[in-house]
């Protein structure tokens, strides 16, 4: 199938007289779109295998639609009007604590659970491996814990909730190898791949790859907003609907708090909500997180990248925007099919500026899953406890979830009841702890942090065994200095500086 260019506003045919009156930016948009279309069509035409060609063609059509919208929006200089942004009304963010308890498990027959599994563990020092393969607790990986949660759900409620992984071209091969070990478990595992889009030269506005088989560094997975096109193009959406499935619960594979909750599912059904987003109270650690807003009467997702620079501080305000988006959503599958077929899914474009291996500036056009909320009926948020949002983005998070703050129950992390405060401690580990390998070496055993409020560690610091940290602890080894904390140390409200002196803080 050949790609056609939707006409940009104000663009006339090149043969039309009066070309000098054509809006320059719109004309440029048309030229760039045509050049991109030609390059993509050329790549599609060179794919020989008919099945691969169909998949690649669908991906390039989706990419071209996104690219063309990017050009049009760039020409119009459209930005969000800050004066039209309002926080959501309270009835659009009911509290989890106000939901009635339920023992009704009938909805589980209509449920599927999907984990976003497209990311690599690069930032934590595991290049080439899926993040879901990182061991996080008791020798178990993110994937092990997710599988255990669904297995337990199926065992307890005598049901069969399928478990779906959305992989990327970066994670699929390794994930397929890993999931073989679950073959004899009480769980049905399905997978599909999110799309593969070409990086775009920032100056040329042309695709960096020249063929479908170009090196994978020239391609990128276009953000979790791609889930809707990808699950539809894979044929899985139709298969799920045909199998009687009606609802899909989606979350990040590294969020160890996002398990199936009957109270939330009952609310989803009772409120006839087609799209439900889990929000949680914003703290000072979350000020950059996206939030749901009322924009001209519609529920919308607002990400910090969309905020005009002069309003960034307003966006970070806990007073104006109380909640942030955890990226855990529930979606009605039939409604999703309707939106894709009748309206089309136009998600806000996130422009991710990168530099290619050869130094060339490139752009990646991405979308966020939560932005789809504006397309669905009765869509709203739900304010959930922080225990449902336990992401592991860095080794600072790893310290929390491997500590005595939590225990494991059927794959779910449960807060230690002896913890006096509802909030987890703020932990900031410096660059020397950035990689998992270094993290494991520098902590002989994970410290006891049940009574910790805040921990900052910077520089060449080494922890012995059975160390206890309480209150606010700051440990800074100056350049050229090394701090070794001996076995059994107890630090409470202490500042430990480069000369290993310990003073009250």
């Amino acid at each position: 199938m050949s790609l056609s260019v939707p006409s940009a506003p104000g663009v006339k045919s090149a043969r039309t007289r009066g070309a000098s009156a054509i809006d320059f930016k719109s004309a440029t948009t048309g030229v760039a779109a045509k050049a991109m279309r030609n390059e993509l069509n050329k790549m599609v035409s060179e794919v020989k295998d008919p099945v691969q060609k169909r998949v690649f063609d669908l991906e390039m059509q989706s990419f071209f639609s996104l690219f063309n919208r990017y050009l049009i929006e760039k020409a119009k200089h459209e930005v969000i009007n800050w004066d039209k942004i309002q926080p959501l009304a309270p009835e659009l963010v009911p509290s989890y604590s106000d939901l009635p308890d339920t023992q009704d498990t009938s909805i589980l027959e209509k449920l599927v659970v999907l984990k976003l599994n497209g990311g690599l563990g690069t930032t934590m020092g595991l290049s080439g491996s899926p993040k879901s393969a990182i061991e996080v607790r008791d020798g178990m990986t993110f994937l092990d814990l997710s599988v255990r949660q669904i297995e337990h759900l199926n065992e307890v409620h005598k049901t069969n909730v399928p478990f779906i992984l959305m992989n990327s071209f970066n994670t699929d091969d390794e994930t397929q190898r890993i999931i073989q070990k679950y073959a004899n478990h009480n769980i049905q595992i399905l997978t599909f791949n999110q799309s593969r889009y070409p990086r775009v030269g920032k100056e040329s506005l042309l695709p960096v790859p020249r063929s479908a088989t170009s090196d994978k560094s020239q391609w990128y997975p276009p953000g979790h907003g791609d889930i809707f096109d990808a699950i539809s193009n894979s044929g899985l959406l139709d298969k799920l609907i045909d199998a009687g499935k009606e609802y899909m619960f989606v979350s990040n594979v590294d969020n160890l708090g996002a398990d199936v909750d009957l109270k939330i599912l009952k609310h989803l059904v009772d409120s006839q909500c087609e799209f439900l987003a889990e929000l949680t109270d914003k703290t000072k650690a979350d000020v950059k997180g996206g939030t749901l807003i009322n924009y001209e009467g519609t529920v919308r997702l607002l990400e910090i990248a969309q905020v005009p620079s002069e309003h960034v501080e307003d966006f970070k305000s806990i007073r104006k925007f109380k909640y942030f988006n955890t990226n855990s959503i529930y979606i009605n599958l039939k409604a999703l099919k309707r939106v894709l077929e009748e309206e089309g899914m136009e998600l806000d474009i996130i422009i991710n500026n990168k530099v290619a291996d050869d130094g060339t500036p490139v752009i990646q056009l991405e979308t966020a899953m939560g932005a789809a909320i504006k397309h669905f009926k009765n869509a709203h948020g739900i304010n959930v406890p922080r225990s449902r949002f336990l992401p592991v983005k860095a080794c600072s998070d790893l310290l929390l979830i491997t500590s005595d703050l939590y225990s494991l129950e059927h794959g779910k992390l449960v807060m230690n009841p002896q913890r006096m405060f509802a909030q987890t401690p703020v932990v900031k580990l410096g660059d020397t702890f950035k990689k998992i390998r270094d993290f494991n070496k520098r902590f002989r055993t994970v410290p006891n942090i049940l009574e910790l409020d805040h921990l900052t560690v910077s520089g060449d610091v080494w922890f012995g065994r059975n160390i206890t940290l309480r209150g606010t602890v700051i440990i800074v080894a100056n350049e050229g200095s090394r701090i070794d904390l001996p076995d059994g140390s107890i630090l409470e409200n202490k500042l430990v500086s480069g000369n290993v002196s310990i003073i009250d803080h």
Side-chain angles (χ1 to χ4, degrees), residues 257-502:
D259 67 337
V260 173
D261 186 288
L262 289 174
K263 284 171 61 170
I264 297 176
L265 292 175
K266 181 172 172 54
H267 172 77
L268 180 73
V269 176
D270 291 350
S271 63
Q272 297 183 307
C273 171
E274 293 184 347
F275 190 110
L276 182 67
E278 288 194 27
L279 311 176
T280 195
D281 290 346
K282 187 191 283 189
T283 69
K284 289 180 180 178
D286 316 307
V287 291
K288 293 183 179 179
T291 190
L292 293 187
I293 58 167
N294 178 336
Y295 192 75
E296 298 183 311
T298 303
V299 179
R300 298 272 295 268
L301 175 70
L302 179 66
E303 298 278 10
I304 194 166
Q306 299 167 279
V307 177
S309 55
E310 65 270 23
H311 292 294
V312 167
E313 291 309 310
D314 295 338
F315 174 80
K316 291 179 178 180
S317 165
I318 296 174
R319 192 173 295 111
K320 182 166 184 176
F321 300 110
K322 297 178 183 177
Y323 318 108
F324 78 99
N325 176 34
T326 67
N327 214 41
S328 296
I329 67 161
Y330 304 77
I331 191 161
N332 182 303
L333 293 175
K334 290 179 180 175
L336 173 58
K337 186 173 174 65
R338 183 196 74 230
V339 169
L340 289 171
E341 291 183 350
E342 296 178 12
E343 303 170 33
M345 189 81 77
E346 289 207 350
L347 306 183
D348 299 321
I349 299 171
I350 300 166
I351 302 160
N352 196 346
N353 291 290
K354 298 277 189 177
V355 177
D357 293 341
D358 63 359
T360 306
V362 296
I363 56 173
Q364 297 179 179
L365 303 178
E366 303 176 7
T367 56
M369 176 175 73
I373 195 167
K374 64 184 178 184
H375 288 288
F376 292 90
K377 297 172 184 174
N378 296 327
H380 58 273
I382 183 165
N383 183 16
V384 300
R386 189 73 182 206
S387 58
R388 292 192 57 78
F389 183 65
L390 298 172
V392 180
K393 304 296 182 191
C395 286
S396 297
D397 302 317
L398 199 58
L399 177 66
L400 291 172
I401 66 163
T402 53
S403 74
D404 56 342
L405 277 179
Y406 297 101
S407 59
L408 263 185
E409 291 184 10
H410 311 296
K412 180 177 170 61
L413 285 179
V414 179
M415 175 71 81
N416 190 325
Q418 292 181 306
R419 171 76 175 170
M420 302 282 288
F421 319 104
Q423 287 192 340
T424 53
V426 175
V427 174
K428 298 178 181 177
L429 300 180
D431 287 346
T432 52
F433 292 83
K434 194 172 183 181
K435 309 295 185 188
I436 287 182
R437 182 183 65 250
D438 298 326
F439 175 90
N440 289 332
K441 280 196 302 188
R442 289 178 178 274
F443 287 106
R444 296 289 299 278
T445 60
V446 175
N448 303 312
I449 59 172
L450 202 56
E451 297 176 47
L452 180 70
D453 297 323
H454 180 113
L455 172 67
T456 294
V457 183
S458 178
D460 190 9
V461 180
W462 299 77
F463 289 77
R465 298 178 183 278
N466 302 319
I467 288 174
T468 299
L469 306 174
R470 299 177 183 144
T472 296
V473 178
I474 299 172
I475 307 168
V476 180
N478 299 326
E479 193 170 347
S481 301
R482 168 173 168 150
I483 294 176
D484 288 273
L485 298 172
D487 295 352
S489 300
I490 298 175
L491 301 181
E492 182 170 358
N493 295 323
K494 297 292 186 200
L495 167 62
V496 184
S497 65
N499 59 6
V500 203
S501 62
I502 299 179

Side-chain angles (χ1 to χ4, degrees), residues 4-267:
S4 59
V5 185
S7 58
V11 179
K12 302 179 182 178
S13 164
R15 296 179 183 173
T16 306
R17 292 190 179 186
S20 59
I22 297 175
D23 176 82
F24 176 75
K25 285 181 179 174
S26 294
T28 305
T29 295
V31 169
K34 187 174 182 180
M36 175 63 77
R37 179 202 63 190
N38 291 339
E39 291 286 326
L40 296 177
N41 282 342
K42 179 172 175 288
M43 286 198 283
V44 170
S45 69
E46 291 171 352
V47 179
K48 302 305 179 193
D49 181 275
V51 175
Q52 291 179 0
K53 187 168 189 168
R54 176 191 168 277
V55 172
F56 185 64
D57 186 29
L58 286 170
E59 288 180 343
M60 292 308 98
Q61 287 183 58
S62 296
F63 167 75
F64 182 73
S65 174
L66 189 66
F67 177 75
N68 198 62
R69 270 204 302 128
Y70 160 73
L71 292 177
I72 293 169
E73 290 174 16
K74 188 180 175 188
K76 286 181 177 178
H77 277 293
E78 284 189 344
V79 292
I80 199 157
N81 185 333
W82 191 257
D83 294 333
K84 293 182 179 180
I85 292 175
Q86 297 295 328
L88 286 187
E91 60 268 22
L92 290 176
V93 196
S95 173
Y96 176 86
S97 60
D98 292 336
L99 300 183
D101 286 324
T102 180
Q103 299 302 317
D104 183 4
T105 61
S106 59
I107 189 176
L108 295 177
E109 298 296 327
K110 303 173 183 178
L111 179 71
V112 298
V113 173
L114 186 149
K115 290 286 186 180
L116 303 170
N117 187 46
L120 294 170
T122 311
T123 55
M124 295 172 74
L126 289 181
S127 58
S129 293
K131 189 174 184 183
S132 58
I134 295 175
E135 283 192 11
V136 286
R137 181 97 194 197
D138 300 351
M140 300 178 80
T141 66
F142 288 112
L143 209 47
D144 292 334
L145 295 173
S146 295
V147 167
R148 183 70 197 104
Q149 286 181 14
I150 302 298
E151 245 192 334
H152 179 67
L153 183 79
N154 288 339
E155 287 167 4
V156 169
H157 298 296
K158 305 293 187 288
T159 187
N160 184 24
V161 174
F163 181 56
I164 304 172
L165 294 168
M166 183 174 83
N167 302 329
S168 69
F169 64 88
N170 287 321
T171 63
D172 187 56
D173 288 348
E174 183 70 6
T175 299
Q176 296 298 344
R177 189 183 67 77
I178 291 170
I179 62 176
Q180 291 176 23
K181 70 179 181 179
Y182 307 122
N184 296 322
H185 289 235
N186 179 27
I187 189 168
Q188 179 187 10
I189 300 180
L190 305 168
T191 68
F192 69 98
N193 274 15
Q194 68 182 113
S195 303
R196 185 182 67 139
Y197 283 3
R199 285 179 147 187
V200 177
K202 192 169 185 177
E203 301 301 325
S204 69
L205 291 180
L206 292 172
V208 173
R210 304 306 297 271
S211 78
T213 56
S214 291
D215 187 78
K216 71 179 188 178
S217 66
Q218 299 178 7
W219 304 82
Y220 69 97
H224 39 66
D226 177 59
I227 182 176
F228 309 111
D229 277 339
I231 196 170
S232 178
N233 289 344
S234 71
L236 184 55
L237 177 59
D238 286 336
K239 288 178 183 175
L240 293 173
I241 292 172
D242 290 345
K245 303 302 179 184
E246 294 183 26
Y247 305 100
M248 182 165 70
F249 172 40
V250 185
S251 62
N252 294 335
V253 76
D254 68 350
N255 181 1
L256 295 174
D259 67 337
V260 173
D261 186 288
L262 289 174
K263 284 171 61 170
I264 297 176
L265 292 175
K266 181 172 172 54
H267 172 77

